[in-house]
């Protein structure tokens, strides 16, 4: 079968290769992959960026995939041949205190699909049955592949920020996660402003606007002006998904007293932070990491319910052109690239 494999630890050392179809062990199933999204973390892994030294090579990349159960390993009971499923991307051990509390994405022994075990940028993938989530009937498999980034947004907006109707919400960073956070917050009845900078003006901010999101280019006018135009005042909630320290500083300075900042981005540098100002304004500073099975379920329900149309955000590429898709994501030329084997 064909698979997009990170073959070594040097930057860009990855290729579409012919590899044997994997065999499911006890408790595992073989999935025929229908579609696999390209995530920012795939780009980091592809480039061997700092913070991604730990990935196992060779490894088939990709964790945002949907598929159909093709074969069962010994002892599999929960799924049957032909079932349509997605796999949870960060898989906890299922036994520790955190896993039992439902925080499987924080498990100290977690396995990251597509980084520490073979993922879904391939024609087939093997996954443990306990980490599969059924896809609701009638939901298109390509759209279902987007449920992981949507689940990350659901966690940030619903579980962490607990966004409510009529709240004024800024989302910084119009990548896939930021755009999805903006869409979920709007679905919850919030007033939403999605901010980006120069490089986002070409594809990502216009795509968000086409999806009905108010977008602001901070390279054109200062933040204060955009906030005044959009809300007439400071935001109640700020979701930082750009991974820029400057954006996080803006968030902490700009939310109203008593407001909430939720951080979902990942950062390449440290930041200086003077807590007294935040104390005196009684800010809530929260962090949101990945997602768990419950967030997947919520995301799949949103997709199946038809309240969110993510089709305009997708560009599909054949699996053979995976390197090109990764480059397009890295350059911000697409909101969401999806590989189809
Ligand atoms: Zn992802
Ligand atoms: Zn665990």
């Amino acid at each position: 079968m064909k698979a997009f494999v990170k073959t070594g630890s040097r930057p860009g050392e990855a290729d579409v290769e012919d590899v044997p179809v994997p065999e499911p062990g006890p408790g595992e199933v073989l999935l025929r992959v229908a579609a696999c999204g390209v995530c920012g973390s795939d780009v980091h892994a592809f480039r061997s960026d700092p913070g991604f030294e730990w990935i196992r090579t060779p490894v088939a990349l990709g964790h945002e995939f949907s598929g159909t159960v093709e074969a069962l390993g010994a002892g599999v009971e929960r799924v049957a041949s032909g079932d349509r499923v997605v796999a949870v991307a960060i898989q906890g051990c299922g036994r520790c205190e955190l896993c039992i509390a439902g925080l499987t994405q924080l498990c100290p022994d977690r396995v990251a699909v597509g980084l520490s075990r073979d993922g879904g940028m391939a024609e087939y993938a093997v996954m443990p049955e306990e980490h599969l989530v059924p896809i609701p009937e009638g939901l298109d498999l390509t759209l279902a592949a987007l449920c992981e980034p949507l689940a990350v947004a659901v966690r940030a907006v619903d579980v962490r920020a607990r966004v409510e109707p009529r709240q004024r919400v800024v989302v910084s960073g119009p990548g896939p996660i930021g755009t999805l956070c903006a869409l979920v917050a709007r679905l919850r009845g919030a007033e939403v402003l999605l901010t980006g900078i120069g490089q986002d003006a070409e594809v990502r901010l216009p795509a968000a606007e086409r999806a009905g999101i108010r977008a602001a280019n901070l390279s054109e006018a200062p933040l204060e002006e955009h906030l005044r135009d959009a809300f007439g005042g400071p935001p109640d909630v700020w979701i930082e998904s750009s991974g820029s320290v400057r954006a996080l500083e803006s968030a902490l300075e700009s939310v109203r007293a008593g407001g909430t900042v939720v951080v979902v981005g990942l950062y390449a540098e440290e930041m200086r932070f003077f807590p007294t100002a935040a104390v005196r304004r009684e800010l809530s500073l929260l962090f949101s990491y990945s997602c768990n099975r419950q967030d997947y379920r919520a995301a799949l329900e949103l997709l199946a319910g038809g309240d969110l149309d993510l089709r305009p955000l997708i560009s599909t590429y054949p699996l053979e052109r995976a390197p090109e898709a990764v480059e397009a994501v890295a350059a911000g030329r697409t909101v969401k690239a999806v590989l189809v084997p």
Side-chain angles (χ1 to χ4, degrees):
M1 68 165 188
K2 291 217 163 26
F4 184 43
V5 180
K6 173 78 175 158
T7 48
S9 56
R10 287 200 304 274
E13 210 177 336
D15 229 327
V16 178
E17 295 194 332
D18 265 312
V19 297
V21 174
E23 275 185 35
E28 294 180 330
V29 302
L30 177 70
L31 302 174
R32 176 194 288 273
V33 176
C36 183
V38 180
C39 183
S41 63
D42 298 312
V43 176
H44 291 304
F46 176 77
R47 297 196 298 215
S48 305
D49 282 343
F52 285 78
E53 298 83 0
W54 52 273
I55 71 169
R56 188 207 83 184
T57 55
V59 68
L61 295 169
H63 58 271
E64 301 179 358
F65 67 98
S66 60
T68 308
V69 176
E70 183 96 357
L72 307 178
V76 169
E77 289 170 343
R78 282 176 260 191
V79 292
S81 204
D83 282 1
R84 299 165 356 120
V85 293
V86 293
V88 174
I90 296 187
Q91 304 178 342
C93 72
R95 292 177 301 274
C96 72
E97 227 171 86
L98 286 162
C99 283
I100 288 165
L103 298 169
T104 46
Q105 80 278 25
L106 309 181
C107 172
D109 296 320
R110 59 189 181 254
V111 169
V113 172
L115 297 172
S116 54
R117 77 172 285 155
D118 283 329
M121 291 185 181
E123 290 176 77
Y124 294 92
V126 161
M127 289 290 137
E129 66 161 337
E130 61 182 303
H131 297 300
L132 299 177
V133 186
I135 296 172
E137 224 172 284
L139 177 59
D140 174 77
L141 282 171
T142 304
L143 281 176
L146 264 62
C147 95
E148 190 265 354
L150 182 59
V152 173
V154 162
R155 183 163 195 86
V157 173
D158 289 342
V159 180
R160 303 297 283 156
R162 296 167 181 264
V163 167
E164 289 174 5
R166 287 181 300 283
Q167 278 189 321
R168 296 169 297 198
V169 178
V170 169
V171 180
S172 46
I177 299 296
T179 303
L180 292 171
C181 283
L183 286 167
V184 174
R186 199 193 46 173
L187 199 62
R188 300 308 178 213
E191 289 177 51
V192 179
L193 180 68
L194 178 65
T195 67
I197 51 172
Q199 67 194 33
D200 304 315
E202 225 158 285
V203 174
R204 292 182 160 178
L205 290 176
E209 277 173 339
R210 280 198 301 279
I213 298 292
R214 185 169 186 146
N217 181 354
L218 300 183
S219 303
E220 272 172 8
L223 173 67
E224 298 68 39
E225 217 168 281
H226 287 294
L227 289 177
R228 212 180 318 117
D229 289 352
F231 302 144
D236 303 296
V237 175
W238 187 308
I239 298 171
E240 203 315 275
S241 76
S242 73
S244 145
V245 160
R246 271 200 57 198
L248 181 49
E249 286 165 350
S250 289
L252 291 164
E253 283 162 17
S254 308
V255 285
R256 68 160 167 83
T260 300
V261 175
V262 171
V263 184
V264 69
L266 296 171
Y267 300 78
E269 51 179 342
E270 291 180 13
M271 77 180 272
R272 286 169 59 90
F273 172 53
F274 182 58
T276 302
V279 172
R280 289 196 170 129
R281 297 197 300 124
E282 206 172 60
L283 301 186
S284 298
L285 173 57
L286 302 170
F287 301 86
S288 190
Y289 179 60
S290 187
C291 53
N292 63 15
R293 169 181 287 271
Q294 212 167 324
D295 304 320
Y296 268 81
R297 284 225 188 82
L300 284 166
E301 261 169 49
L302 278 183
L303 288 171
D307 292 324
L308 282 180
D309 185 11
L310 304 186
R311 259 169 270 253
L313 305 179
I314 299 178
S315 328
T316 53
Y317 293 78
L319 178 61
E320 290 77 11
R321 283 167 54 200
E324 190 188 322
V326 169
E327 300 286 353
V329 172
R333 285 197 303 271
T334 165
V335 179
K336 193 76 220 175
V338 174
L339 300 173
V340 178

